[in-house]
Amino acid sequence: MTTSNATRGGVGNARAGANFALIKYWGKADAVLNTPAVGSISITLDTLYTDTEIVFDATLARDELVLNGKRRDEDVDKISACLDLLRKPRGVTTRARVTSRNNFPTGAGLASSASGFAALVRAAEVALGLNLTPRERSIVARQGSGSAARSIFGGFVEMYAGTASDGSDSFAEPLLAADAWPLEVVIAVTAKGEKEIGSRSGMTRSATSSPYYPAWVAGQTADLATARVAIAARDFAALADVAEHNCLKMHAAAMATQPPLVYWNGATVECLHAVRRLRADGVPVFFTIDAGPQVKAVCEPGARSRVEAVLRDVPGVLDLLTSRLGPGAEPT
Ligand code: DP6
């Protein structure tokens, strides 16, 4: 460690890719530990990422965050709480200046909190001179944002909900390396700007008011098992079926929340139909949608140009982003 590093003004830099869940996390077991009510399975991306620099500076009275060139005082408490998990056990009291940049739209359902907290943990680890295990990184990142526990790792990743009262078994692990099944993702951007109801308050509201929330939780073990087998066998059709089913169940539970959470717009629905038509025509592609209106079409590499051509023509699609599967969070 290195309290001395920190008081000298330790600096760390890291990059972490966004991830999209194929079997989703929606609902918490414990809000303080930020443990999920259900496990999840995701893919980490290579071209959508967050770059973060952290500087521990003894002259600062509190932590500071600059995201995409703007000060974000409203987000500092979450950053401080996550950094305290690394600082407090080591007696570090130095505050930090965090400068982060997403190379993709922030807060629009493109997993910016996942890449953001994964990059923060890796950068802070370097700045403080720590040598955490991958599991420790994932546990700290989880307490920043549940999905961030997965962005610590590359390729296909599974997050365990865990049962321990201290959250020590609630972490992610790699399932399959990115190059072992090199799927690609075409993202149809159907709205820009930050979403109104973030995942955190949305999922909390669903858990307390959606009549479908208990059914959502009850089905997750089976969906995780099906997806695990499909990934191990590189069985695209099986993964497509379970991922779309799981996504629609999450959104059904969200829509039945009071007040309702309808994350989709008209173009979201058109994209969903376009992807289903493509698959019916034999194109290996399926959709997933998170807490926002963007549609993520996951496909085999040979199908990407066809998927792009079809989604580009859907009315209301503003932009397309593409990505391969990528590595875990790493110092830069
Ligand atoms: C719909 O990880 O953003 O993207 O733990 O409260 O920060 P917090 O939530 P967050 O939720 C992600 C929800 C989701 C599905 C998923 O990524 O699994």
Side-chain angles (χ1 to χ4, degrees):
M1 194 307 273
T2 160
T3 307
S4 57
N5 240 357
T7 40
R8 273 206 317 268
V11 179
N13 285 275
R15 172 174 293 182
N19 75 76
F20 296 149
L22 307 181
I23 304 297
K24 306 223 177 261
Y25 150 47
W26 193 251
K28 295 178 194 295
D30 183 304
V32 175
L33 291 167
N34 203 37
T35 46
V38 291
S40 52
I41 291 178
S42 59
I43 45 177
T44 301
L45 307 178
D46 72 343
T47 54
L48 275 68
Y49 53 78
T50 303
D51 280 325
T52 293
E53 179 184 74
I54 185 165
V55 180
F56 284 86
D57 179 345
T59 67
L60 293 177
R62 60 186 310 241
D63 295 320
E64 290 178 4
L65 172 66
V66 174
L67 176 62
N68 300 329
K70 285 196 201 117
R71 264 189 80 127
R72 300 271 293 211
D73 292 342
E74 67 278 20
D75 292 329
V76 164
D77 287 350
K78 278 177 78 178
I79 301 277
S80 295
C82 188
L83 292 177
D84 281 345
L85 298 169
L86 297 175
R87 282 186 294 221
K88 279 198 176 148
R90 298 165 178 94
V92 177
T93 54
T94 315
R95 305 285 108 187
R97 187 176 305 108
V98 177
T99 309
S100 238
R101 187 163 290 280
N102 296 331
N103 75 336
F104 60 94
T106 299
L110 287 178
S112 53
S113 69
S115 52
F117 278 99
L120 178 75
V121 170
R122 286 300 259 141
E125 180 183 353
V126 171
L128 292 168
L130 309 178
N131 195 7
L132 304 179
T133 64
R135 182 174 300 184
E136 286 169 334
R137 287 173 195 139
S138 185
I139 287 174
V140 175
R142 180 202 81 226
Q143 291 169 85
S145 183
S147 52
R150 300 184 309 235
S151 272
I152 294 294
F153 304 102
F156 292 81
V157 178
E158 176 160 10
M159 170 81 193
Y160 309 111
T163 54
S165 60
D166 62 354
S168 55
D169 57 355
S170 182
F171 54 80
E173 276 184 347
L175 263 186
L176 187 71
D179 58 4
W181 196 15
L183 299 183
E184 300 196 11
V185 187
V186 178
I187 301 149
V189 177
T190 66
K192 297 201 172 164
E194 300 201 19
K195 63 195 171 205
E196 278 172 32
I197 307 292
S199 312
R200 180 157 299 191
S201 59
M203 68 173 73
T204 306
R205 244 203 240 168
S206 287
T208 54
S209 71
S210 174
Y212 301 154
Y213 181 76
W216 154 254
V217 173
Q220 195 76 347
T221 304
D223 287 0
L224 287 165
T226 303
R228 236 179 263 129
V229 171
I231 291 165
R234 322 303 197 255
D235 183 340
F236 191 90
L239 185 61
D241 283 348
V242 72
E244 288 188 353
H245 181 57
N246 188 268
C247 166
L248 293 175
K249 285 193 292 183
M250 184 203 107
H251 283 277
M255 286 181 200
T257 299
Q258 286 177 316
L261 294 167
V262 183
Y263 286 112
W264 305 353
N265 59 32
T268 313
V269 179
E270 291 303 332
C271 288
L272 181 161
H273 285 302
V275 167
R276 288 180 58 77
R277 272 195 302 271
L278 275 170
R279 194 152 86 261
D281 287 347
V283 179
V285 59
F286 65 86
F287 66 79
T288 191
I289 307 162
D290 292 298
Q294 330 301 3
V295 176
K296 294 101 182 205
V298 182
C299 62
E300 290 186 349
R304 196 189 75 200
S305 54
R306 175 102 188 263
V307 172
E308 281 183 286
V310 165
L311 290 180
R312 187 176 290 117
D313 281 350
V314 173
V317 170
L318 307 174
D319 206 357
L320 292 183
L321 307 172
T322 57
S323 184
R324 295 192 166 86
L325 306 195
E330 288 297 342
T332 46

